[in-house]
Amino acid sequence: MIDRALRGSKDRIVAPLVRGLAGRVAPGWLTALSFGFGVGGGILAGLGWRWLAAATWFAGRVFDGLDGPVARAGTAETDLGGYLDMMADTAGYSAVPLGIAAARADTATWATCAVLLATFYLNTMSWTYLAAIAEKRGEGAAAQEEKTTVHMPSGLIEGTETIVFFVAMLVWPAGAPGLFGLMAALVAVTIGQRLWWAAGHLR
């Protein structure tokens, strides 16, 4: 919901680090670190190390916020890089709820984890297909001057909101069933937003 509004501020904050890394560190390594720390946070959550899990997963988000700017600053931006970045993100987003559910090992947590991951599945389809249609119509990321590989339709739950929810889940695993359920409901609203938009604009 607020990703676009925060993107300029984020870019300004990381600009000094980006200038230091551009041309010295391949953005693919930053994507690999994003993947490793993201999945690592989920594994640590499964082992019950909640604070270390939260710190590890958040570090993965920091690396995720650097790979794109470093690629653009060093003229190393590629479609493959954008694709791998999204795959790394998805792996981390899957690992954390599964890790928390594995550590809790109760029916309520596993059930709400399954519901949350189901909404993630549907949400991925809701935005990626719209992104493909936008590219087909010449209304994609480049046309809209977005600093992403593909256009990402806005919605109630985006990257920033996901970070907030996941950190809360990791540091407070006892509240996971409620947080899983709340996030699933909000993701469902996001899916509904995009379906409503599609019904009104895709003819």
Side-chain angles (χ1 to χ4, degrees):
M1 182 173 66
I2 60 175
D3 280 12
R4 292 187 187 182
L6 293 179
R7 187 166 290 129
S9 299
K10 186 267 288 183
D11 287 346
R12 286 190 294 272
I13 291 170
V14 302
L17 186 55
V18 169
R19 285 193 294 269
L21 293 173
R24 295 180 176 87
V25 176
W29 284 110
L30 297 173
T31 302
L33 288 169
S34 169
F35 169 80
F37 277 81
V39 174
I43 293 172
L44 290 170
L47 295 173
W49 297 344
R50 58 177 181 165
W51 291 104
L52 183 57
T56 300
W57 188 80
F58 188 79
R61 295 300 83 209
V62 172
F63 288 119
D64 177 58
L66 288 171
D67 56 2
V70 167
R72 289 188 291 273
T75 64
E77 188 176 15
T78 65
D79 289 340
L80 176 61
Y83 172 74
L84 293 176
D85 177 42
M86 189 55 62
M87 292 298 292
D89 289 351
T90 303
Y93 290 153
S94 302
V96 167
L98 289 171
I100 294 170
R104 295 276 302 160
D106 62 75
T107 303
T109 305
W110 273 115
T112 50
C113 176
V115 172
L116 178 61
L117 291 179
T119 63
F120 282 1
Y121 178 87
L122 291 171
N123 189 48
T124 299
M125 180 57 67
S126 80
W127 80 261
T128 53
Y129 204 84
L130 286 180
I133 293 173
E135 296 296 328
K136 174 186 174 183
R137 295 184 170 194
E139 300 169 356
Q144 301 194 40
E145 298 182 349
E146 295 178 354
K147 295 180 179 179
T148 53
T149 303
V150 296
H151 169 61
M152 296 185 179
S154 60
L156 181 62
I157 296 293
E158 298 177 339
T160 303
E161 294 79 16
T162 301
I163 290 172
V164 172
F165 265 104
F166 273 33
V167 170
M169 294 170 189
L170 287 164
V171 300
W172 186 41
L179 290 170
F180 285 171
L182 175 59
M183 188 175 187
L186 295 177
V187 173
V189 171
T190 304
I191 297 167
Q193 287 178 299
R194 291 172 178 151
L195 286 170
W196 181 265
W197 184 93
H201 291 81
L202 302 184
R203 299 294 181 185

